[in-house]
Amino acid sequence: MSVDIADKLDALAEMVRSARAMPMSASCVINRAEVLDAIDDMKAALPKELAAARGLLKDRSSFVEEGQAEADAILEAARAEQARLVSRTEVAKEASREAERMVAAAQAEVDRMRREVDDYVDGKLANFEIALSRTLAAVEHGREKINGRNAELEALGADEEIGEPIAEPLPG
């Protein structure tokens, strides 16, 4: 089952937001196992997403290579036909025109295929970029929330004497 990294980051941020705050401290109490599980899920999902992106790039190369091979075959056929027609002196001019038309048609087909492949790959990469941007935005939002809460708690703690924490603050 695929893990949506953005959903996992949202869940992780929600765990931190809803964690019980330590009185007179910037620390909070969260379930370590839940946080570590969420982080492990995200670590496991990243290689899959990167592999998918590499697969798209590989597919693009395959499409381009297939298109180039097909274009080469069309061009070779056009050249062979041109050579056959040129050998007949009475149709030499017609053969030259036909060969040029075939070469132009083959080149147009190659250009069309390249544009289609590039558009397809660009669309897939754009979707991947959007997913990564959303993930980054979720991470930044979570960090901003944590930093804002820490600043609020530090401001409150500066006005009052800070007592001993009830539990150890979490590392990091």
Side-chain angles (χ1 to χ4, degrees):
M1 184 182 325
S2 176
V3 174
D4 185 15
I5 294 174
D7 289 343
K8 281 293 182 184
L9 284 170
D10 289 343
L12 185 60
E14 184 55 33
M15 276 187 241
V16 172
R17 271 195 285 292
S18 64
R20 187 171 50 101
M22 299 297 296
M24 310 296 284
S25 170
S27 300
C28 63
V29 177
I30 60 174
N31 185 318
R32 183 180 303 184
E34 287 179 17
V35 171
L36 291 175
D37 285 345
I39 291 171
D40 288 343
D41 288 346
M42 288 184 284
K43 282 181 180 178
L46 279 175
K48 293 174 189 170
E49 299 224 4
L50 292 174
R54 286 188 189 111
L56 286 174
L57 291 175
K58 185 178 178 183
D59 288 346
R60 178 190 181 273
S61 296
S62 297
F63 286 140
V64 169
E65 288 174 10
E66 288 175 19
Q68 187 63 48
E70 186 175 329
D72 290 345
I74 292 170
L75 289 173
E76 186 58 36
R79 288 186 184 112
E81 181 67 12
Q82 181 185 24
R84 184 186 69 77
L85 293 174
V86 168
S87 68
R88 300 178 186 182
T89 57
E90 57 271 359
V91 292
K93 287 184 181 180
E94 181 61 28
S96 179
R97 281 189 294 253
E98 180 64 16
E100 288 173 6
R101 185 197 61 76
M102 290 175 72
V103 168
Q107 189 61 50
E109 180 67 16
V110 166
D111 292 343
R112 183 192 62 78
M113 290 172 70
R114 279 191 183 138
R115 281 191 304 276
E116 286 178 5
V117 167
D118 286 346
D119 289 347
Y120 172 78
V121 170
D122 185 57
K124 291 295 184 177
L125 289 174
N127 288 339
F128 186 65
E129 182 182 38
I130 289 168
L132 288 178
S133 295
R134 286 179 181 161
T135 300
L136 181 58
V139 168
E140 288 173 356
H141 179 71
R143 291 188 71 211
E144 288 171 2
K145 279 284 210 186
I146 290 169
N147 289 334
R149 193 171 321 139
N150 288 344
E152 288 175 16
L153 291 174
E154 286 176 9
L156 289 174
D159 294 337
E160 300 174 16
E161 184 176 323
I162 299 175
E164 289 290 296
I166 297 174
E168 283 188 62
L170 293 176

